[in-house]
Amino acid sequence: MIGKTLGGVKVLEFAESEAAPYCTKLLADFGAEVIKIEKPGIGDIARRRGPFLNDVPHPEKSGLFLYLNTNKRGVTLDPKTAKGREIFLDLVKWADILVEDNSPKEMESNELKYDKLKEINPKLVMTSITPFGQTGPYRDYKMYHLNMVHASGGGFITPSNSPNLDREPVKADGIMEEGLCGISAALATMSALFWRNISGKGQFIDISRQEAIMNIDRVEIDQYPNEGFIASRMPRKGRVASGLIPCKDGYFMAMAMDDRQWEGMIKVMDYPEWSKDDMFKDASARAKYGNEMFQHVAEWAKDKTKNEIYHKAQVVLWPATPVYSINEAVNWVQCKERDFFVEIDHPETGK
């Protein structure tokens, strides 16, 4: 592992579910040595969430748990017990980084807050991921994934441009937002580690899951105080000049927001007659008439494959990319050439 980016970095994970374990998975993928702490007897809740091999629940066969934790080592302990606390503090002394997702009140009651832990490891970088952060009126509130999405405002604009005027707010599919929280935490942790390596000083990082998710919709949130515009999931005239477009064998995602992107797009399309219309004369006009523009693009794309469009777009720097199914992604030549997916032999699941 020493040859990897984070080779030699030691990480202690005192967390469960998705966001914090994804943060430490990213660190582990870059070569850090991660030790995961699980609760005696019950373990990480992700073990019970699946999806499971052959749809049979089993704590060692959860696809979610295995994805997030396969390249880590593990220990079970309860820091509330004398022995568990002794082992926990020894691990804190060993670690460069501690990532945890327990409630602020629980960490305080167990005397595991950063001001206590830095006494035994002054160079420790500690990242805490909680629903609403360490301070403020909501810091002790419980929050589940669905609450988190709507508390961040994401549901208000999802599904975007819905044709159903009475459509209720919804969240994105799966647990995408948890992964984004993990990415925010990993980036902040890496920054603190970089500074620690220069200054010799540790840091405490306070990650609010609500704020991390609000960052996804920062453009729509900023539009209200800056422009007086209230974004909505309801249909409106025009849209930002980017979107999902159907083609011969599925969909591709494309953008034509600035002049360079627009020029690349119409070049790939061999400068169609409609592109000379005044409604597409500049970036602001194209944003206003985004729906009309992409109707033309979809008509052009209906007899072309997504890979055909993708490779032509690459030549002229038009940002257009294929949307792959899981099977297509796993077998995509880029992933194969880079050994992106690695086969492992697991004692319970097999290969």
Side-chain angles (χ1 to χ4, degrees):
M1 286 295 190
I2 299 299
K4 291 199 170 187
T5 305
L6 294 182
V9 174
K10 295 168 289 194
V11 180
L12 180 62
E13 177 196 312
F14 183 38
E16 64 175 354
S17 195
E18 296 97 10
Y22 187 58
C23 168
T24 56
K25 169 193 162 53
L26 293 172
L27 302 180
D29 286 351
F30 279 103
E33 180 183 0
V34 178
I35 294 181
K36 179 184 181 71
I37 295 174
E38 293 190 72
K39 299 171 185 174
I42 56 175
D44 188 330
I45 193 172
R47 291 181 179 274
R48 303 187 290 282
R49 287 187 173 163
F52 297 101
L53 182 66
N54 300 322
D55 293 327
V56 178
H58 189 290
E60 296 293 339
K61 297 181 181 181
S62 162
L64 175 64
F65 179 83
L66 290 172
Y67 173 72
L68 293 171
N69 299 286
T70 296
N71 55 353
K72 305 173 186 178
R73 292 194 292 158
V75 61
T76 58
L77 63 84
D78 182 356
K80 296 187 184 73
T81 67
K83 187 62 176 176
R85 183 177 182 82
E86 178 186 350
I87 297 171
F88 184 89
L89 295 179
D90 281 343
L91 288 169
V92 169
K93 292 176 187 176
W94 164 85
D96 297 298
I97 296 167
L98 167 62
V99 179
E100 64 89 18
D101 67 352
N102 302 273
S103 72
K105 188 178 289 185
E106 183 178 353
M107 294 296 281
E108 285 169 2
S109 65
N110 292 325
E111 296 187 331
L112 297 177
K113 295 290 284 184
Y114 183 66
D115 58 350
K116 294 287 185 182
L117 298 181
K118 72 177 181 180
E119 292 177 2
I120 64 172
N121 186 350
K123 293 185 176 182
L124 180 69
V125 172
M126 179 173 172
T127 301
S128 292
I129 305 174
T130 57
F132 296 102
Q134 300 292 311
T135 59
Y138 299 148
R139 71 160 222 158
D140 294 320
Y141 279 33
K142 291 181 179 179
M143 184 162 68
Y144 300 96
H145 181 67
L146 188 62
N147 308 127
M148 180 183 71
V149 173
H150 291 292
S152 71
F156 192 74
I157 58 172
T158 309
S160 177
N161 221 25
S162 172
N164 183 353
L165 294 177
D166 298 319
R167 182 65 191 262
E168 68 281 356
V170 298
K171 72 174 185 67
D173 187 37
I175 53 171
M176 178 189 76
E177 296 85 358
E178 299 285 354
L180 290 164
C181 289
I183 292 171
S184 296
L187 287 169
T189 302
M190 288 284 289
S191 299
L193 180 67
F194 181 74
W195 172 244
R196 197 281 307 265
N197 291 344
I198 295 173
S199 68
K201 297 177 181 178
Q203 272 189 72
F204 177 70
I205 300 167
D206 178 8
I207 298 287
S208 158
R209 290 163 71 203
Q210 181 194 32
E211 289 185 3
I213 300 310
M214 286 176 72
N215 185 52
I216 305 172
D217 304 314
R218 61 191 179 278
V219 173
E220 289 80 6
I221 291 170
D222 286 346
Q223 281 179 322
Y224 177 67
N226 292 312
E227 304 172 32
F229 176 77
I230 300 175
S232 171
R233 62 187 177 279
M234 300 309 172
R236 58 188 183 272
K237 181 67 176 175
R239 64 178 180 182
V240 175
S242 63
L244 198 64
I245 304 169
C247 58
K248 183 178 180 179
D249 60 346
Y251 292 87
F252 69 102
M253 187 79 181
M255 301 177 71
M257 302 179 78
D258 60 31
D259 289 340
R260 182 185 61 78
Q261 294 171 359
W262 164 258
E263 287 297 327
M265 184 181 79
I266 61 174
K267 185 174 182 179
V268 168
M269 299 176 68
D270 198 22
Y271 301 99
E273 192 63 31
W274 61 263
S275 67
K276 301 168 187 174
D277 195 295
D278 278 350
M279 70 169 62
F280 308 122
K281 64 183 178 181
D282 55 36
S284 60
R286 293 192 291 272
K288 183 177 179 181
Y289 295 104
N291 285 327
E292 288 82 355
M293 178 175 68
F294 280 120
Q295 285 173 8
H296 287 298
V297 178
E299 179 64 26
W300 166 83
K302 67 183 182 182
D303 62 348
K304 297 169 181 64
T305 67
K306 53 194 174 188
N307 279 329
E308 178 186 353
I309 296 167
Y310 167 60
H311 289 298
K312 287 182 178 179
Q314 289 280 295
V315 175
V316 297
L317 304 180
W318 172 34
T321 183
V323 177
Y324 286 139
S325 67
I326 297 298
N327 185 58
E328 288 172 325
V330 170
N331 291 292
W332 187 33
V333 63
Q334 290 274 5
C335 290
K336 285 184 174 293
E337 288 296 321
R338 295 171 184 268
D339 292 326
F340 186 84
F341 295 103
V342 180
E343 187 177 85
I344 64 169
D345 221 346
H346 190 273
E348 294 289 345
T349 63
K351 288 189 178 181

